[in-house]
Amino acid sequence: MKTTNTLTPALRQEIISLVHQEVLPATGCTEPVAVSLCTAYASATLGDFTPESVSVLLSPNVLKNALGVGIPGTGMIGLPIAIALGIVIAQPDKGLTLLDSFTPEQLAEAKQLVEAKVITIGTKPEPVDKLYAEVTIQTTSGETATAIISGKHDHLTYLAKGTQVLEDHPIGQQEDVEDEEELTLNFSLVYDFATTAPLEEIEFILADAEVNAEASRLSMKSNYGHAVGRMVQSDLGRKYLGNSTLTQIISATSAACDARMDGAPVTVMSNSGSGNQGITATMPVLTFAKEQQKSHEETVRALMLSNLMVIYIKQKLGRLSALCGCVVASTGAACGLTYLLGGNKQQVSYAVKNMVGNITGLLCDGAKPSCSLKVSSGVSTAMFSALLAMEQKVVTGSEGIVDDDVDQTIDNLTSIGRVGMNETDRLVLNIMTSKNH
């Protein structure tokens, strides 16, 4: 792992490459899509076949995040239809946009596979990476294929057809699923890059944000999920919440989440493997910039600051954890908002500390329509944290888990999510899988 703060042209390009790796298009919730993609890898190796059985083994975190979320274009929730579509579509080269389009005939075929009950889903015995999916397909003619995705949502680590191993990249042979030479970020590096990199090198982040804005606009025209975004803009919402930049931010962000979690056929730009993180890192910043008529350069730099801060925190936290991703993503948004308010580096660090001192511990109980409620909480907290920072108000190092050093504060946050909440994670999954429906 490398750490440096000298912003040479080579380092800038390395950071840009990292952003491109982590800010990616995704259609549908990334956990069931990852399982669908894993299935597609196995299916594609078999060609034309009829499945006798499809065995799917998942890490508890993947299972938790895939139980109650809508699958794009199906009107259905959960893993069976996502797995079945992976078999039918069998186009792993599409990556996390695998489910962005399929024919009515393909959907009908997938539904038949679900009804045939050839799919079994279970948990992979520990120890296993928190992001793990293993799919084994056996055909009626006796052929088999196995695929494993682990560490990252689109990271194929193993693929075999029968006894022939086609791909084998064990995570255990690396420091992590990431390239062991991957750049390790810190607060100063994130801030300095976002605020000083040549504008033309980072303008792409604005186009990424506009993808999420389109998902938000689509949602406001319909009635997806709990329709949190629409409620904020309704007569009732405006009567009691008002009509302000804050309510516009909450509405725009939660609306995109409403659509995505309800299975709307929309593609969003994800961040660190999560579409909701991508939405929450971009929509508050983009909406504020438009509402307050900020310049093109201010908007671009604020968006880069928010997105790169999320990538930094997720480097320490890991892809999946018991900590809700909106805590991380809204912390990034708080940084971007503080920058747009005219805040300096110290005030941006104050915003981080205010966030950690407030909503640390918000748990993840799976991907589902009510994620938009958590997103709205994170976004409103981001605005409060930014405003406090502008008033030179900060949660101090003598309060709770916040440290005087901002990087140590982030370490404290991520260690709670990565280590301290593991038992919470197990209890949450047990509750979710023990329901009577």
Side-chain angles (χ1 to χ4, degrees), residues 40-225:
Y41 272 113
S43 179
T45 68
L46 292 168
D48 188 20
F49 68 95
T50 301
E52 176 75 24
S53 65
V54 183
S55 172
V56 180
L57 295 175
L58 307 172
S59 61
N61 287 80
V62 170
L63 182 62
K64 179 183 69 174
N65 275 354
L67 285 174
V69 70
I71 306 303
T74 67
M76 302 169 71
I77 65 170
L79 282 164
I81 189 63
I83 293 165
L85 281 169
I87 294 171
V88 173
I89 299 172
Q91 291 181 266
D93 56 301
K94 294 183 69 175
L96 297 180
T97 61
L98 178 69
L99 302 182
D100 66 353
S101 62
F102 42 84
T103 66
E105 292 76 18
Q106 287 175 314
L107 178 58
E109 185 179 347
K111 287 181 176 180
Q112 287 177 353
L113 287 175
V114 173
E115 292 168 2
K117 299 189 184 303
V118 297
I119 300 168
T120 59
I121 302 167
T123 54
K124 181 74 174 179
E126 296 185 290
V128 66
D129 193 273
K130 289 188 175 183
L131 203 168
Y132 183 94
E134 177 182 324
V135 177
T136 299
I137 300 173
Q138 181 170 332
T139 72
T140 52
S141 61
E143 287 187 299
T144 63
T146 297
I148 297 174
I149 280 178
S150 186
K152 293 177 71 173
H153 292 80
D154 57 353
H155 185 75
L156 180 72
T157 57
Y158 181 83
L159 181 64
K161 181 179 181 181
T163 59
Q164 181 185 6
V165 177
L166 306 174
E167 302 279 350
D168 191 11
H169 315 288
I171 291 180
Q173 293 180 4
Q174 306 171 15
E175 287 184 7
D176 194 358
V177 65
E178 314 290 352
D179 180 353
E180 60 186 41
E181 291 301 313
E182 181 192 59
L183 175 69
T184 300
L185 300 170
N186 58 55
F187 175 79
S188 287
L189 184 55
V190 168
Y191 180 86
D192 293 347
F193 173 81
T195 57
T196 66
L199 187 63
E200 64 272 15
E201 292 183 4
I202 62 174
E203 282 180 309
F204 67 87
I205 203 70
L206 179 57
D208 291 346
E210 289 290 358
V211 173
N212 294 344
E214 181 57 33
S216 178
R217 287 189 288 268
L218 179 146
S219 181
M220 292 297 288
K221 297 175 183 177
S222 191
N223 194 37
Y224 292 108

Side-chain angles (χ1 to χ4, degrees), residues 68-397:
V69 70
I71 306 303
T74 67
M76 302 169 71
I77 65 170
L79 282 164
I81 189 63
I83 293 165
L85 281 169
I87 294 171
V88 173
I89 299 172
Q91 291 181 266
D93 56 301
K94 294 183 69 175
L96 297 180
T97 61
L98 178 69
L99 302 182
D100 66 353
S101 62
F102 42 84
T103 66
E105 292 76 18
Q106 287 175 314
L107 178 58
E109 185 179 347
K111 287 181 176 180
Q112 287 177 353
L113 287 175
V114 173
E115 292 168 2
K117 299 189 184 303
V118 297
I119 300 168
T120 59
I121 302 167
T123 54
K124 181 74 174 179
E126 296 185 290
V128 66
D129 193 273
K130 289 188 175 183
L131 203 168
Y132 183 94
E134 177 182 324
V135 177
T136 299
I137 300 173
Q138 181 170 332
T139 72
T140 52
S141 61
E143 287 187 299
T144 63
T146 297
I148 297 174
I149 280 178
S150 186
K152 293 177 71 173
H153 292 80
D154 57 353
H155 185 75
L156 180 72
T157 57
Y158 181 83
L159 181 64
K161 181 179 181 181
T163 59
Q164 181 185 6
V165 177
L166 306 174
E167 302 279 350
D168 191 11
H169 315 288
I171 291 180
Q173 293 180 4
Q174 306 171 15
E175 287 184 7
D176 194 358
V177 65
E178 314 290 352
D179 180 353
E180 60 186 41
E181 291 301 313
E182 181 192 59
L183 175 69
T184 300
L185 300 170
N186 58 55
F187 175 79
S188 287
L189 184 55
V190 168
Y191 180 86
D192 293 347
F193 173 81
T195 57
T196 66
L199 187 63
E200 64 272 15
E201 292 183 4
I202 62 174
E203 282 180 309
F204 67 87
I205 203 70
L206 179 57
D208 291 346
E210 289 290 358
V211 173
N212 294 344
E214 181 57 33
S216 178
R217 287 189 288 268
L218 179 146
S219 181
M220 292 297 288
K221 297 175 183 177
S222 191
N223 194 37
Y224 292 108
H226 297 293
V228 177
R230 285 169 59 91
M231 179 279 292
V232 173
Q233 295 301 318
S234 69
D235 291 341
L236 190 65
R238 292 192 177 202
K239 179 178 180 180
Y240 293 105
L241 300 176
N243 183 21
S244 65
T245 300
L246 174 60
T247 58
Q248 291 293 332
I249 286 172
I250 295 172
S251 178
T253 310
S254 56
C257 184
D258 281 324
R260 185 170 174 273
M261 291 290 95
D262 200 32
V266 297
T267 296
V268 301
M269 296 304 290
S270 64
N271 186 308
S272 302
S274 165
N276 284 349
Q277 285 172 184
I279 290 167
T280 308
T282 56
M283 289 308 300
V285 177
L286 183 64
T287 306
F288 183 94
K290 290 180 177 179
E291 285 283 311
Q292 298 301 311
Q293 299 181 325
K294 295 297 179 178
S295 70
H296 172 73
E297 179 171 354
E298 288 174 308
T299 303
V300 168
R301 295 196 182 282
L303 284 167
M304 181 55 72
L305 178 59
S306 178
N307 276 278
L308 194 56
M309 184 62 65
V310 175
I311 293 169
Y312 164 40
I313 299 173
K314 290 295 287 186
Q315 278 186 339
K316 292 176 175 290
L317 180 63
R319 296 275 158 178
L320 299 178
S321 76
L323 188 68
C324 178
C326 83
V327 175
V328 176
S330 56
T331 299
C335 295
L337 291 169
T338 305
Y339 176 83
L340 288 175
L341 285 163
N344 58 28
K345 187 174 184 178
Q346 183 182 58
Q347 287 167 315
V348 171
S349 76
Y350 286 176
V352 173
K353 295 177 184 179
N354 291 340
M355 291 296 292
V356 174
N358 190 342
I359 59 172
T360 294
L362 185 63
L363 63 81
C364 170
D365 56 342
K368 60 214 174 299
S370 61
C371 286
S372 60
L373 292 167
K374 294 184 179 183
V375 164
S376 65
S377 296
V379 169
S380 60
T381 304
M383 192 75 240
F384 297 158
S385 296
L387 294 173
L388 280 170
M390 295 304 297
E391 296 282 351
Q392 301 294 338
K393 301 296 184 183
V394 60
V395 178
T396 66

